[in-house]
Structure formats: C-alpha cells, structure tokens
C-alpha cells in the first residue's frame, strides 16, 4: 500500500474538497434559493459516497504514515471534529427552522476550515499553532 501513498493522499484531498464544496453548494442552494432538489436521493448518495471515500483514504493514510487517532493529537482532533462536521452538515439541510439551518451551515464551514488547518499543520491547534 505504501507504493500508492501519493495517489491515496490525492484521493483523500480531492474527496475532502468535494465533500466541503457539495455541502456548501447544497446548503446555499437550499437555504438561500429554496432549491428542494438538493435533497434528492442521487445527491444524498453522492455525498455519502464521497464521505466514505474520504474516510477510507484517511484510514489508509494513517496506516501508511503509522500515525493514528487517539495516539497522535492532530489525528485525534480530525476524527473528533468529523462528528460535528457531519452533524452540522445534516442540520444545515434538515433542521426545521431556516435560522438553525443557516447557523449549522456556517458552523460546518468553520469546523471544516479548522480541520483543514489541523491537517496542513499536522498539529492539533491547526492555524493557532
Ligand atoms: C473534513 C475532514 C478532513 C479534512 C478537511 C482533511 C484534510 C486533509 C488535508 C488537506 C490533508 C493534506 C495535509 C498535508 O498537506 O500534509 C490531509 C491529509 C491526511 N489526513 Fe485528512 N482531512 C479530513 C479528515 C481526516 C480524518 C477523519 C483522518 C483520520 C482518520 C484523516 C487523516 C489524514 C492523514 C493520515 C493524512 C496524511 C498526512 C500526511 O501525508 O502526512 N483526515 N487531510
């Protein structure tokens, strides 16, 4: 698997960017323009597939670089923050009130951005380090 480190890293980063872009576009289209098609099954399945690829590639990378969540701080932060990212993303499209949906979307974007800086810095404090 080590031989494919660069390819797997590219797949991880590409799925990370696709996941963030999909959530942002769906969230904005739904909450600003009332576009109900963003909730259609094909787009939901696409989102789940992208997130599954993201996580699979992430787990492969941890094995290759021999650094693991709950052993290495920056990876612990990434895994822990993945939970609010997914939950806020869900509420951004599914909450009853528009205000809750918009706040959730903003929260998901902030969490995503922070995880990104943690990844780049290889440090739990991310851009604060
Ligand atoms: C929304 C969630 C995530 C984002 C935004 C994200 C972002 C990134 C980015 C930008 C990189 C490249 C870092 C660099 O330039 O060295 C990266 C690498 C990596 N990510 Fe993620 N990631 C996410 C989720 C995860 C999760 C949940 C894990 C752990 C299970 C993980 C494990 C890794 C590993 C091991 C690398 C390779 C680092 C290296 O090559 O040294 N990522 N991630």
């Amino acid at each position: 698997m080590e031989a494919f480190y660069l390819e797997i890293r590219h797949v991880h980063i590409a799925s990370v960017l696709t996941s963030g872009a999909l959530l942002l576009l769906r969230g904005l289209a739904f909450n600003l323009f009332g576009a109900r098609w963003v909730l259609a099954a094909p787009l939901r399945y696409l989102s789940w597939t992208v997130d599954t690829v993201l996580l699979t590639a992430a787990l492969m990378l941890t094995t290759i670089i021999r650094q693991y969540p709950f052993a290495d701080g920056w990876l612990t932060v990434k895994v822990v923050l993945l939970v609010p990212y997914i939950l806020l993303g869900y509420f951004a499209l599914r909450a009853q009130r528009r205000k809750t949906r918009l706040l959730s979307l903003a929260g998901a974007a902030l969490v995503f951005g922070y995880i990104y800086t943690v990844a780049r810095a290889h440090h739990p404090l991310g851009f604060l380090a």
Side-chain angles (χ1 to χ4, degrees), residues 5 9 12-13 16 54-55 58-59 61-62 65 67 69 74-75 78-79 82 85 112 115-116 119-120 122:
Y5 167 71
R9 191 167 169 275
H12 179 63
I13 296 172
V16 155
L54 181 163
L55 202 55
L59 295 178
L61 287 172
T62 62
I65 66 171
Q67 292 185 40
W74 70 285
L75 286 175
K78 287 181 81 169
V79 170
L82 201 57
Y85 171 64
F112 180 92
I115 301 179
Y116 200 95
R120 294 289 295 154
H122 284 207

Side-chain angles (χ1 to χ4, degrees), residues 89-122:
Y90 177 83
F91 290 128
L93 295 170
R94 295 290 176 169
Q96 289 291 320
R97 295 170 61 215
R98 183 166 177 266
K99 191 177 170 193
T100 311
R101 291 198 301 271
L102 281 169
L103 281 175
S104 301
L105 184 62
L110 285 178
V111 172
F112 180 92
Y114 184 68
I115 301 179
Y116 200 95
T117 70
V118 169
R120 294 289 295 154
H122 284 207

